[in-house]
Amino acid sequence: MRIFKFGGASVRDGQGVKNLVEIVKKYLDQPLVVVVSAIGKSTNQLEEIARQAFSGGSYEGALKEFIFAHQALTQELFGAVPDEVNNWLIQLEKSLENRASSWGQFYDSVIPYGELLSTSIVYHYMLSELECTWVDARKYVKTNSIFTEANVEWQLTEHFIEREIPELLKKGPVITQGFIGSDLTGKSTTLGREGSDYTGAIFAYCLRAESLTVWKDVPGLLNADPKRFPTAELFDELSFQEVTELTYYGAKVIHPKTIRPLAQRNIPLFVRSFLEPTGKGTKISEQEKTTTKHCFVFKENQLLVTLRVKDNSFMDEKKLVKIFQAMDHSNIKINLMHSSALTFTFCMDYQKDKLDALRDFLQRDFQLLYNEGLQLATIKNYQEGSFGFLPETTEVILEQKTRNNYQVLYRPIEKV
């Protein structure tokens, strides 16, 4: 059994959908689960629409553009809009009108429609070529109720997937959505942005698959973003541990949570190009071999937060425990940190709601200061000459160097 995951770029137009089906047709010798992301950049569109709707702003124009794009794609493929696609669009409109009590819950009630629409379109086209089944991932991927970044309830998820999916696979490929699930009350949840890779790993783990293949618009896993580094090099093989480190530092080629369930059952992960499907790509598996290539990861829109003790006492272990508990409760991930006698400083992705939650927890004991508009560069396995690839800066805010890794937080030069 194999699991395939296709990202939004692979289904951004009619030719992409046709190409996806052609790839699937070459791998029908084994049962196949196909996980598909939302079309193109439609998740970004939905996020903006949801933000406007939640704040009471005007979103109708953006929604019309979103609807038109999906109807145009179905017209290109079928000459008409399937009823199922129209039904999802109607449900989307209703969801936007129902204001939930919190932003997170509202977000998770709206955003899944990107995946539900894309998989419905792929399913209807694939059905014209071969027998297949469409399933709603929310029925199988069960989570807690931490909206926008839900955690998987593994026992329940494995139970539901094992109970039904193997039987459905006897009829042909099963098509489902990435990124989405539901909590124990049936409310829609999401697994974090770019979480479709993680969904692929969830199905691979629960079905004890032979492999998971992530199909992307790059030839495999590269040592840098090819848009920033045209000479980026391809990795033939990497270990689970190395990829975990790269995703921790912010490499976007694989969702950070993807590796663990695969490593637990020693299921190899392949990253391959849907543009060149015969290419070898990159194999990620449990192995001792490590790479010596230097790797570059850049994270934009970073926030440097400094917490200063109000009573001028030391920043001791008890205070650090309080800070880390608050960050855990606010669901904040640290990208870089530094401690001194009176302060604790850390770097995070800028998200206003999380910053506000952290301030609410800590403002009684700590003064909170921050700098925004920063970027974080990480060089893994740095070598002589690696630093020449770093961009020019107006100001270096914080830097750390270990035996193998170098990180620098900086304020970039503004483009005129």
Side-chain angles (χ1 to χ4, degrees):
M1 181 185 301
R2 298 187 182 99
I3 313 295
F4 281 2
K5 181 265 173 175
F6 289 90
S10 66
V11 289
R12 62 188 167 201
D13 54 28
Q15 187 53 49
V17 174
K18 293 175 183 178
N19 183 57
L20 181 157
V21 174
E22 287 303 311
I23 291 173
V24 167
K25 285 163 65 177
K26 294 174 183 176
Y27 293 92
L28 297 178
D29 57 315
Q30 288 187 26
L32 182 61
V33 175
V34 182
V35 177
V36 183
S37 298
I39 290 165
K41 300 293 184 181
S42 60
T43 298
N44 293 341
Q45 289 178 285
L46 270 182
E47 282 188 345
E48 186 55 35
I49 292 167
R51 199 170 283 113
Q52 292 296 330
F54 189 74
S55 64
S58 175
Y59 63 88
E60 288 78 10
L63 178 60
K64 282 182 181 178
E65 287 184 19
F66 178 87
I67 292 172
F68 177 78
H70 286 78
Q71 289 177 335
L73 176 56
T74 57
Q75 289 282 356
E76 179 186 349
L77 289 170
F78 314 115
V81 181
D83 289 342
E84 189 176 324
V85 173
N86 266 330
N87 288 338
W88 288 128
L89 292 170
I90 292 168
Q91 289 185 45
L92 168 60
E93 292 183 79
K94 290 180 179 178
S95 294
L96 288 164
E97 294 168 0
N98 296 326
R99 308 291 161 81
S101 57
S102 69
W103 161 246
Q105 188 174 334
F106 182 71
Y107 178 98
D108 281 4
S109 71
V110 171
I111 300 302
Y113 286 100
E115 271 70 15
L116 294 166
L117 283 161
S118 66
T119 52
S120 294
I121 293 169
V122 169
Y123 164 70
H124 279 284
Y125 186 80
M126 190 179 292
L127 198 59
S128 67
E129 300 276 328
L130 54 99
E131 190 172 357
C132 56
T133 305
W134 181 95
V135 298
D136 189 332
R138 296 174 297 181
K139 181 180 176 182
Y140 302 96
V141 180
K142 294 298 174 182
T143 73
N144 62 12
S145 299
I146 300 178
F147 296 105
T148 75
E149 293 186 49
N151 295 315
V152 174
E153 299 286 352
W154 282 98
Q155 281 190 316
L156 270 179
T157 298
E158 189 168 9
H159 168 73
F160 286 123
I161 289 176
E162 280 187 326
R163 187 178 67 177
E164 293 187 16
I165 299 299
E167 191 64 28
L168 294 174
L169 284 168
K170 292 177 182 178
K171 304 173 186 177
V174 167
I175 301 166
T176 195
Q177 307 76 37
F179 176 52
I180 67 175
S182 67
D183 68 8
L184 302 186
T185 67
K187 293 185 180 72
S188 295
T189 57
T190 59
L191 307 178
R193 280 304 307 264
E194 313 299 333
S196 294
D197 296 343
Y198 186 33
T199 300
I202 292 167
F203 276 88
Y205 174 91
C206 294
L207 294 169
R208 292 169 172 76
E210 175 188 299
S211 64
L212 165 64
T213 301
V214 175
W215 296 90
K216 304 185 77 71
D217 56 357
V218 290
L221 205 154
L222 306 169
N223 71 331
D225 183 348
K227 294 174 183 175
R228 190 186 283 263
F229 292 91
T231 58
E233 300 176 37
L234 174 70
F235 290 108
D236 293 324
E237 291 189 41
L238 282 171
S239 68
F240 286 134
Q241 181 179 345
E242 289 171 314
V243 176
T244 298
E245 288 187 17
L246 285 172
T247 59
Y248 172 81
Y249 288 126
K252 294 182 178 178
V253 71
I254 297 294
H255 188 275
K257 292 183 179 179
T258 303
I259 299 301
R260 188 183 178 203
L262 299 177
Q264 285 179 314
R265 290 196 166 154
N266 199 17
I267 300 169
L269 167 63
F270 294 90
V271 182
R272 299 176 64 184
S273 171
F274 62 78
L275 300 173
E276 300 176 15
T278 58
K280 183 181 177 183
T282 302
K283 180 182 179 182
I284 302 161
S285 61
E286 190 66 60
Q287 55 168 305
E288 296 293 329
K289 184 180 176 182
T290 58
T291 181
T292 56
K293 288 180 183 177
H294 53 185
C295 305
F296 299 87
V297 181
F298 292 87
K299 289 179 74 70
E300 299 180 350
N301 199 24
Q302 295 295 290
L303 186 75
L304 183 69
V305 180
T306 297
L307 294 165
R308 184 183 297 277
V309 181
K310 282 187 174 181
D311 62 5
N312 287 322
S313 60
F314 285 119
M315 180 64 76
D316 58 20
E317 287 77 9
K318 287 184 179 179
K319 294 184 180 68
L320 289 172
V321 166
K322 184 176 291 187
I323 290 170
F324 279 103
Q325 286 176 335
M327 286 194 288
D328 179 57
H329 196 278
S330 305
N331 204 18
I332 289 173
K333 175 185 175 297
I334 298 174
N335 297 326
L336 182 67
M337 62 182 173
H338 174 74
S339 183
S340 70
L342 300 176
T343 64
F344 178 75
T345 300
F346 66 94
C347 172
M348 60 178 276
D349 296 345
Y350 178 65
Q351 292 173 293
K352 185 179 182 302
D353 57 329
K354 293 185 178 183
L355 179 65
D356 291 343
L358 183 71
R359 183 188 288 110
D360 291 342
F361 276 108
L362 298 176
Q363 62 185 354
R364 191 181 74 176
D365 300 309
F366 302 92
Q367 181 184 7
L368 189 149
L369 307 168
Y370 60 89
N371 294 306
E372 52 189 327
L374 306 178
Q375 295 189 18
L376 177 64
T378 301
I379 308 176
K380 188 176 183 298
N381 303 324
Y382 64 84
Q383 307 162 6
E384 186 178 348
S386 295
F387 303 103
F389 289 96
L390 292 174
E392 294 184 37
T393 70
T394 57
E395 181 184 7
V396 171
I397 310 295
L398 181 64
E399 61 181 332
Q400 289 184 355
K401 182 188 286 188
T402 64
R403 182 181 301 172
N404 298 313
N405 303 322
Y406 172 78
Q407 289 187 285
V408 56
L409 185 69
Y410 62 93
R411 193 177 301 281
I413 293 177
E414 292 186 12
K415 296 178 181 179
V416 180

